[in-house]
Amino acid sequence: MKLFKVWALILLIAVLTVGCANTEKSGSEAKETKEVKEVKETNNYEGLTVKLGVQGSGGLWGKAREEKWFEDEFGQFGVKVEWAEFQSGPPMTEAIASNHLDFAGLGNMPIIAAQAADIPFKVISQLLEGKNNVAIITPTNSALKTIDDLKGKKIAVAKGSNAYNFLYRGLAESGIKDSDVEIIQLQPDEAQPAFESGGVDAWATWDPYITLNTLTGKAKVLTDGEQLGVLSPSFQIVRKEFAEKYPELVTLYLKVFEKTRLWEEQNLDEALNRYATERKVPVEVIKGTQVRSKIINIPVSDEIIAEQQKTADFQYEIGNIRKKINVSEVFDNQYVKEALK
């Protein structure tokens, strides 16, 4: 009889424990639904579509698009997601200027040019450190060894890109005038065949093009940001009007991006194999891009802002932007700080 009472007591405790757990779970789910409901009631998202800009297809963004992480999170608020692909940063800022894009990840120079052109946007997080993600490459069998050897040579570069700024600053700091070289403005899809065919002697570009060419034996690095002391960080930006109207959605965007970034970090082998299959290159090539261009999502430091100001001042001095700008005016870390809590 005593044994029966003991087992009855154990069973009662087990039932109560499961009941409490279910109650807690239900309460948590109810709380989450309540939070979403409160945001919906506070803000009117009727008919709203968030437009996300990416450079190329696949990669980290490809995973997020396949899993519909952004669609699911924004969908809780009745907000639709639309994707747009670009080859480089300048067309992205043009799309933001015409209200055809809300978010974009791009290099330092397009951001400076956009600010100088009075395009309204905010920088909301840093995306790349900027030491090795931009470089000048030459064919593997090229006799060129230093940046000084570029005198009289043809150099391909995408106008207005971070590589454009890197090239001009690198030449200037090496005492090479614009007139000493022939700069040919080409987008990556135009520059690649020109580079391979010998139509240009060098190519100022960014990753993955650096690694794709060097690790497949097509190119060697003549110099990069770390060697020249010229940083080329990348950032995430948002259309200013969108941020002012929907600050909570800017934070949500960065939260989902951080979820995507952490997926890559925690499933690196899977991610590398995925990217290699997408680009039809050996996985070693993709590992190389990770070394040069590891994605981050952090507040922008005062040191990086100071470096950005140097770039802006230089671009004004050589006449690439029309007016002097104070770059600190466009940086706003509040969203990423909230997203990373």
Side-chain angles (χ1 to χ4, degrees):
M1 187 66 178
K2 288 183 180 180
L3 183 59
F4 174 79
K5 288 182 178 180
V6 170
W7 279 110
L9 181 60
I10 291 173
L11 180 61
L12 178 61
I13 292 172
V15 169
L16 289 173
T17 301
V18 172
C20 289
N22 286 336
T23 302
E24 288 174 5
K25 183 179 179 182
S26 299
S28 175
E29 290 174 349
K31 181 182 178 183
E32 183 179 355
T33 304
K34 183 181 178 183
E35 288 173 355
V36 171
K37 185 178 179 181
E38 286 176 352
V39 173
K40 283 182 179 178
E41 289 174 350
T42 306
N43 303 278
N44 180 17
Y45 301 128
E46 187 176 352
L48 180 62
T49 297
V50 174
K51 297 165 186 145
L52 312 183
V54 295
Q55 291 193 35
S57 60
L60 186 62
W61 292 109
K63 174 65 175 179
R65 293 172 74 174
E66 180 182 294
E67 299 292 342
K68 298 189 179 299
W69 286 333
F70 284 89
E71 287 85 348
D72 289 344
E73 293 296 333
F74 280 93
Q76 292 186 67
F77 304 100
V79 178
K80 294 181 179 179
V81 171
E82 186 177 292
W83 296 86
E85 294 180 12
F86 300 83
Q87 282 205 47
S88 60
M92 298 176 113
T93 58
E94 291 171 12
I96 283 179
S98 59
N99 295 336
H100 290 140
L101 194 64
D102 298 313
F103 293 92
L106 63 171
N108 60 338
M109 183 53 204
I111 287 174
I112 287 170
Q115 185 179 354
D118 295 319
I119 294 174
F121 68 92
K122 290 184 177 186
V123 178
I124 53 175
S125 79
Q126 186 174 347
L127 197 56
L128 291 176
E129 184 182 29
K131 288 183 179 179
N132 309 111
N133 57 301
V134 175
I136 299 172
I137 61 175
T138 60
T140 306
N141 59 359
S142 171
L144 305 180
K145 294 182 179 178
T146 70
I147 195 169
D148 294 329
D149 296 330
L150 290 174
K151 289 181 180 179
K153 304 301 181 182
K154 295 179 180 179
I155 310 168
V157 68
K159 184 177 181 179
S161 66
N162 53 358
Y164 188 80
N165 169 72
F166 173 76
L167 173 61
Y168 275 85
R169 275 189 68 181
L171 293 174
E173 293 186 16
S174 299
I176 301 173
K177 298 177 182 178
D178 298 356
S179 56
D180 292 333
V181 297
E182 184 179 349
I183 296 175
I184 303 174
Q185 297 171 7
L186 299 172
Q187 288 293 321
D189 63 340
E190 303 166 318
Q192 184 68 53
F195 182 79
E196 291 184 23
S197 66
V200 295
D201 301 293
W203 181 13
T205 188
W206 56 91
D207 241 10
Y209 303 105
I210 301 167
T211 304
L212 286 171
N213 282 278
T214 55
L215 289 192
T216 53
K218 296 176 182 177
K220 60 184 178 181
V221 172
L222 186 72
T223 189
D224 63 15
E226 190 167 28
Q227 294 174 49
L228 284 184
V230 177
L231 294 182
S232 300
S234 289
F235 307 97
Q236 299 209 69
I237 67 173
V238 63
R239 188 164 58 85
K240 187 177 180 181
E241 184 182 1
F242 184 95
E244 291 174 345
K245 194 170 182 180
Y246 309 111
E248 69 286 348
L249 295 185
V250 179
T251 300
L252 178 62
Y253 167 86
L254 290 170
K255 281 184 177 180
V256 183
F257 177 76
E258 181 65 7
K259 172 184 177 178
T260 307
R261 191 194 69 80
L262 288 174
W263 169 82
E264 179 184 86
E265 188 176 277
Q266 295 164 5
N267 303 274
L268 191 55
D269 288 340
E270 179 187 345
L272 294 177
N273 282 293
R274 176 191 176 93
Y275 305 159
T277 300
E278 288 172 348
R279 295 189 177 276
K280 299 179 181 178
V281 297
V283 72
E284 289 75 19
V285 173
I286 302 301
K287 286 181 180 178
T289 66
Q290 292 291 314
V291 173
R292 283 190 169 274
S293 307
K294 181 175 173 56
I295 296 293
I296 55 179
N297 184 38
I298 61 173
V300 184
S301 68
D302 291 341
E303 290 77 13
I304 291 296
I305 293 174
E307 179 65 23
Q308 188 78 342
Q309 188 64 56
K310 284 183 187 178
T311 296
D313 293 342
F314 172 76
Q315 291 298 325
Y316 174 73
E317 288 168 11
I318 65 174
N320 276 342
I321 58 174
R322 300 175 186 175
K323 65 179 183 180
K324 295 196 77 169
I325 58 174
N326 177 3
V327 302
S328 65
E329 293 175 355
V330 299
F331 286 88
D332 193 340
N333 283 326
Q334 65 169 308
Y335 308 102
V336 70
K337 287 180 178 177
E338 181 65 26
L340 297 178
K341 279 183 179 179

